[in-house]
Amino acid sequence: MPELTTAIGGVSRLFETENLPTTILAVVAVLSLLWLVWTLTSTSPHRPPLPPGPRSLPLVGNLLSLDPELHTHFAALAKTHGPITRLWLGQKLGILITSPALAREVLKVNDTTFANRDVPAAGVEATYGGNDIVWSPYGDQWRMLRKICVREMLCNQTLDSVYSLRRQEVRNTVKHFYGHAGSPVNVGEQMFLTVFNVITGMMWGGTVKAEDREGLGAEFRRAINEMTGLLGMPNLSDFYPGLARFDLQGIKKKMNVLAKKFDGIFESMIEQRRKMGGEESKDFLQFLLQLKDGDYKTPFTPTHLKSLLMDMVVGGTDTTSNAVEFALAEMMNQPQILKKAQQELETVVGKDNIVEESHINKLPYLYAIMKESLRLHPTLPLMVPHCPSESCVIGGYTVPKGSRVFVNAWAIHRDPEIWEKPLEFWPERFIDNKLDYSGNDFNYFPFGSGRRICAGTAMAERMFMFLLASLIHSFDWEMGEGEKLDLSEKFGIVLKKKDALVAIPTPRLSSAIMYD
């Protein structure tokens, strides 16, 4: 059987180890084949069939044909096999959703069934056993964590109360760029550091000092990039649960090292805050430490506390900073859009004043730019995979319990049957358009939909708008001589620019005092 030989050889390469015992491969091959045969033959004759999909090999399924850029690869499969597609990922069945109608079936009509997560091994390691708001199973624990985040930590009233912190960090960033005027600067790195400082300031009051801005900010960004990279990396431990104990790719080990670094920071901050006794402290950490077991149906434990800190630091920094970087790059690629946005800011703010958050709601064109950037470059292109708690029928096909369901927001946002000029960055499409981030319209849902919709939408919107408005109001932006602007994407659980945006800022306000 040449196909089986090819499959086993492919698995050997995937394992990336030279000394894997032959007996393990043989046992895995036999068990996987038996499992596949049982799965395909045990379907009830009265149940609709599985969705269509590409031919798969024994043992490995479609793993060997996966393209690293999963969002574009999955979109191409949908063009061949339809808006609901089956993909065998080793022993795991993947279901690809690539149409608004089917996304609605998954995320709204059958929301409760699909409210669980298929937690990857890397996610378990990074979030204290999956006890955070992202990976926690749907139930009382998740409801408790969600309530704390949405009603207490990230509600508009709380965000209003820490505006001075956001303002200070944005002004620090503007001052940093002013100090490097005329020279190339790494925009994404500085956006990351700004958001990181805002979030850590909100969490426990600690920020990266000006003298440490370059080195420490880059170090934190590398660590978080590595974490999100490991979360999005295909892992044999997820595809073959029986092999999870061996951690053949070392993903669990690598994630454990990173998680321990952050855990050390969290422990240090918690200890410091406890010693302070809450005096003159109104940050989130103090609020979390004051929660009582009786406040919620599920007890709030130290593990939950650190899991929420991890969610905020890792989930809130890379996402917003990458989104701002994409938006500025798209505007620089079409200077007329940048000029139009700057003219709007001059009308609302003026060149003898600085941007405040109170101006944001008066900037409809900048809002359109944000929406268009999130359409073209959704932060989580495949969202966080869903996992049905029971088998159900979607689009006339059976989606088995425990399968991994990917909703390709990236592909839906670029569907030519939905969007005019879908590949063009054209903010005007959102002028007088009522599409928002509520998740009720499945043509456009950059923050997800249903019970698992992003808990940090309000925070992300404020930071994105305030940062981008400040950057383009305070500076003109251009590439260095001979440099070419590249808008290519790099897939991950968080979408990134393939090449960092390195651009030159030129001050445009009326007085140097505006930059102090």
Side-chain angles (χ1 to χ4, degrees), residues 314-326:
V314 177
T317 50
D318 219 22
T319 51
T320 304
S321 59
N322 285 326
V324 174
E325 186 178 13
F326 267 124

Side-chain angles (χ1 to χ4, degrees), residues 7 177 350 402 479:
F177 284 142
M479 301 297 292

